[in-house]
């Protein structure tokens, strides 16, 4: 272009969906994702690009393991740091583009030398979550490795401001929109709640790139982002989330911009879209013109997929009407898989032709998927081997030794009935929902169209299933069901004027109200499951995430007890009675505490059990701290007021108090505080002294705090 030189060209390496950490526990495929990402970053350094643009899903999990985080940080530091100055000039206000403690672009930080800056949005796998609403990319940004932009803090009011960069005479406006739930984003665009900002001057001189991470295809009516929702002033849209590699930009004549879909750098599912060769692209921008150079990745594990129909296979269809043909059919399918293995090796060797290595290359074990449609003609039958047993024949030959083959059959008929009597979707719909291309929300929606839920809201149900599958939230369904049942019970208790016949109507009305609130985005998400403290010897990298274990979840009975105490102070004494010594109750619950302690005298027999309960749950301790006095005041002050009236009424208690250590005195004062003088005088001496003696004269306490005094023998003799 006239007036521009090579010094004005901005070179950008574009990649997306690295999914670092995918299947990292697999002995064969565990390092595939990190190897591919490292190759991408090495290409950025060897090709001397100005910047790297990632369009989401850098990590496969929003809580990546230490190994995954280590591999990413190592690769970024090895290839992005250096003495070469970055020639990009930041023109926009960085505080509006990068949020956080260091709200500036990393290559302008005086404390680090960044040669190749990396700009990234988050995807649906590495999205922010938890306290502080932080993502894994926040850790990389705070360490100066990545520039995390395109945040969407409000999904129903999205403001998209560009990162303005300049090199020589070329001006680049970099837009980014991190992943938002597709249905909600569709509604937000439809309602006009998405606003794009443009540079205030020289709008025609800027080359506008936008990175998105959404469904590109219309899996459902509103479960995708239409291209015509995006503004027309864009020049290039980098589309993440879709794993099929369509690296060459495709022109959209309606919107007058190009769309590039780089695809993933690692196969995360065995489907046709993943079998396409993986590429990254180097985008060269000069003024308002651009060109793309595609580069095929060499470290990607070879993947070959084939689909056959046995009724159309020349050899297989002859066996449909014969008996005992399983060995022949199995041998035929084994031969097909062997050919696919050889094909995968040849294709991988072709990609390594330009590699300069002196030693002989070792071909990695390939991924093989054979889909077999075994519907037999009329009067025939195909006797297929168990797919697990068939796949295990190729141990040492393929990387996916458990799912080499997939058998499926096409059936006729519109309606199917499940074992529980529930209607299933039509066969044509189920055929589209193959196990490799299934979308959880669509599957749930299609299944529930034939059902009528009475208690659980349908759209919230689909969201909980999606959280369970996509986000690997082990407790999503349990928390959703418990919360839904609690809401329904509370609603029915508030409505007491209905007859028994109207209960179903009230439940359905409440469910419809919850569905409407969820559809509008007004219904808050379920609170996060509370977990027990992780054991000290628990290793997350070896044993897995502690939150995924069934025994880690604190069930609702304990939480409900704490909530009831907060809502009704009169119940605080019940919680106090279950605690060990060293916990006091508020003064207004004196009588209730005395009754609770007398009702369960066995719980005070073994103080060891009570002490363990005292340290089990920290939340129960908080209930006690809510009192007006601290622990010392609770223990000391009641003792001064209790000694006076108890000396004449219970002389044995005085003797016990003299021989007990300081902790026992505090405990005796608590029991004495909760026992009015009228109760002591109304009962015999033995009955009045017995709970006190059982509580303070435990053998464990005597051994732990002080040797037994000389009066111990006489005290026991009185028993």
């Amino acid at each position: 272009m006239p007036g521009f030189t090579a010094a004005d060209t901005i070179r950008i390496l574009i990649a997306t969906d690295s999914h670092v950490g995918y299947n990292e526990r697999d002995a064969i495929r565990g390092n595939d994702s990190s190897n591919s990402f490292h190759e991408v970053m090495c290409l950025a350094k060897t090709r001397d690009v100005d910047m790297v643009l990632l369009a989401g899903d850098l990590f496969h999990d929003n809580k990546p393991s230490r190994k995954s985080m280590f591999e990413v940080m190592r690769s970024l530091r090895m290839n992005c740091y250096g003495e070469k100055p970055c020639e990009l000039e930041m023109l926009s206000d960085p505080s509006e583009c990068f949020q956080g403690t260091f709200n500036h672009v990393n290559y302008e930080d005086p404390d680090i030398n960044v040669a190749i800056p990396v700009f990234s949005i988050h995807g649906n796998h590495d999205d922010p979550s938890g306290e502080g609403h932080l993502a894994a990319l926040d850790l990389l940004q705070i360490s100066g490795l990545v520039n995390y932009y395109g945040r969407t803090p409000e999904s129903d009011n999205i403001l998209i401001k560009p990162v303005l960069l300049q090199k020589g005479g070329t001006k680049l406006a970099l837009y980014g929109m991190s992943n938002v739930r597709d249905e909600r984003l569709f509604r937000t665009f439809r309602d006009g709640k998405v606003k794009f900002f443009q540079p205030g001057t020289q709008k025609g001189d800027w080359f506008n790139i936008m990175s998105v991470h959404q469904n590109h295809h219309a899996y459902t009516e509103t479960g995708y982002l239409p291209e015509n929702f995006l503004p027309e002033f864009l020049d290039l849209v980098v589309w993440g989330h879709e794993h099929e590699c369509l690296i060459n930009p495709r022109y959209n004549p309606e919107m007058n911009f190009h769309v590039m879909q780089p695809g993933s750098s690692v196969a995360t599912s065995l489907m046709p879209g993943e079998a396409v060769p993986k590429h990254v692209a180097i985008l060269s921008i000069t003024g308002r013109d651009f060109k793309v150079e595609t580069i095929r990745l060499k470290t990607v594990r070879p993947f070959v997929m084939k689909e056959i129909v046995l009724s159309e296979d020349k050899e297989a269809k002859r066996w449909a009407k014969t008996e005992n043909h399983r060995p022949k059919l199995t041998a035929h399918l084994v031969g097909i898989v062997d050919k696919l293995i050889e094909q995968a090796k040849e294709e991988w060797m072709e990609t390594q032709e330009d590699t300069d290595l002196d030693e002989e290359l070792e071909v990695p074990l390939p991924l093989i998927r054979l889909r077999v449609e075994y519907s037999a003609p009329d009067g025939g039958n195909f006797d297929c081997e168990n797919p697990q047993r068939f796949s295990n024949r190729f141990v040492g030959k393929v990387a996916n030794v458990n799912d080499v083959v997939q058998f499926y059959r096409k059936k006729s008929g519109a309606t199917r009935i499940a074992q529980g009597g529930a209607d299933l979707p039509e066969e044509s719909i189920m055929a589209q929902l193959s196990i490799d291309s299934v979308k959880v929300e669509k599957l749930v929606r299609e299944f529930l169209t034939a059902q009528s839920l009475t208690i659980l809201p349908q759209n919230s149900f689909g969201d909980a299933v999606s959280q369970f599958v996509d986000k690997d939230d082990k407790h999503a369904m349990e928390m959703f069901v418990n919360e839904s049942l609690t809401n329904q019970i509370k609603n029915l208790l508030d409505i007491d004027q209905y007859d028994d016949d109207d209960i179903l109507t009230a439940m359905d009305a409440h469910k419809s109200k919850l569905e409407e609130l969820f559809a509008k985005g007004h219904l808050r998400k379920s609170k996060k499951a509370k977990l027990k403290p992780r054991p000290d010897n628990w290793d997350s990298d070896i044993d897995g995430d502690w939150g995924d274990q069934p025994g880690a979840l604190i069930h609702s009975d304990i939480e409900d007890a704490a909530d009831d105490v907060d809502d009704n102070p009169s119940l605080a004494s019940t919680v106090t009675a279950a605690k060990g010594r060293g916990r006091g109750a508020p003064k207004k619950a004196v009588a209730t505490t005395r009754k609770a302690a007398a009702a369960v005298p066995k719980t005070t027999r073994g103080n060891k059990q009570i002490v363990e309960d005292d340290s089990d749950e920290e939340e129960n301790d908080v209930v006690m701290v809510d009192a007006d006095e601290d622990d010392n005041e609770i223990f000391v002050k009641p003792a001064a007021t209790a000694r006076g009236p108890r000396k004449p009424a219970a002389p044995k208690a005085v003797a016990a108090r003299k021989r007990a250590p300081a902790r026992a005195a505090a405990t005796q004062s608590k029991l004495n505080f909760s026992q009015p003088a009228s109760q002591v005088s109304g009962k015999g001496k033995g009955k009045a002294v017995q709970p006190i003696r059982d509580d303070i004269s435990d053998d464990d306490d005597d051994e732990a705090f002080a040797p037994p005094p000389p009066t111990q023998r006489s005290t026991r003799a009185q028993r």
Side-chain angles (χ1 to χ4, degrees), residues 659 697 699 702 707-717:
R659 68 175 180 83
S697 61
D699 294 339
D702 292 338
T711 59
Q712 182 179 6
R713 181 176 302 176
S714 61
T715 305
R716 292 184 177 179

Side-chain angles (χ1 to χ4, degrees), residues 294-325:
T294 62
I295 304 174
R296 182 170 180 176
L297 299 178
K298 298 180 180 181
T299 58
V300 178
R301 187 176 297 275
F303 175 29
V304 176
M305 182 174 182
K306 185 177 182 179
E307 182 172 358
I308 63 173
V309 180
L310 292 182
S311 59
E312 299 176 0
D313 189 272
K314 294 182 180 180
E315 297 184 16
K317 66 181 180 181
R318 296 181 303 175
W319 305 323
K321 298 183 180 181
T322 62
E323 297 181 357
N324 300 325
H325 62 267

Side-chain angles (χ1 to χ4, degrees), residues 14 29 68 97 107 127 133 135 151 169 190 234 244 344 346 352 425 467 476 480 532 538 607 678 711:
I14 299 178
R29 306 165 59 185
S68 299
C97 306
Y107 62 84
D127 57 334
H133 200 62
R151 303 168 188 255
R190 183 189 58 195
L234 296 176
E244 183 179 4
E346 293 176 0
Q352 311 298 319
Q467 293 291 326
F480 163 71
K532 297 178 181 178
W538 188 270
N607 288 330
S678 60
T711 59

Side-chain angles (χ1 to χ4, degrees), residues 68-232:
S68 299
M69 183 63 71
F70 170 80
E71 294 292 344
V72 169
M73 298 181 72
R74 179 180 67 90
S75 182
L76 291 172
R77 181 168 179 175
M78 289 175 59
N79 297 284
C80 296
Y81 283 3
E83 297 180 355
K84 186 195 79 168
C86 182
E87 301 180 14
L88 299 175
E89 181 183 0
M90 185 78 173
L91 300 181
S92 57
D93 185 1
S95 62
E96 296 181 354
C97 306
F98 313 109
Q99 303 173 7
T101 305
F102 302 100
N103 53 359
H104 57 262
V105 69
N106 63 346
Y107 62 84
E108 292 183 354
D109 193 317
D111 298 324
I112 54 178
N113 293 328
V114 177
I116 304 176
V118 178
F119 294 84
S120 178
I121 62 175
H122 75 251
N124 60 310
H125 280 265
D126 53 2
D127 57 334
S129 62
E131 185 177 358
H133 200 62
L134 299 175
L137 292 178
D138 284 297
L139 301 180
L140 298 180
Q141 175 173 313
I142 205 70
S143 60
L145 295 170
V146 165
N147 298 294
Y148 177 23
Y149 78 110
R151 303 168 188 255
T152 53
E154 298 181 38
S155 57
D156 55 353
N157 185 25
I158 301 176
L159 304 178
I160 302 177
K161 299 181 179 180
V163 178
L164 303 180
L165 304 172
Q166 182 176 357
K167 179 183 178 183
T170 301
K171 296 180 176 63
L172 174 64
L174 184 61
Y175 294 84
M177 182 177 63
S178 295
N179 177 263
V180 181
R181 185 180 176 186
D182 290 288
E183 289 78 6
R184 178 168 294 181
L185 182 63
F186 189 96
R187 182 173 62 251
T188 305
F189 267 101
R190 183 189 58 195
D191 297 342
K193 296 297 183 63
V194 181
K195 185 176 181 180
F196 288 81
F197 291 80
Q198 290 185 262
T201 59
Q202 301 176 342
K203 293 183 179 180
D205 296 339
W206 294 87
F207 187 87
N208 304 287
I209 301 180
M210 182 171 184
S211 300
V212 298
H213 193 95
Q214 306 292 148
N215 283 338
H216 201 179
H217 304 289
Y219 297 101
T220 61
E221 294 182 358
T222 60
Y224 74 110
L225 175 62
E227 292 183 3
N228 56 12
F229 277 9
L230 301 177
E232 297 182 357

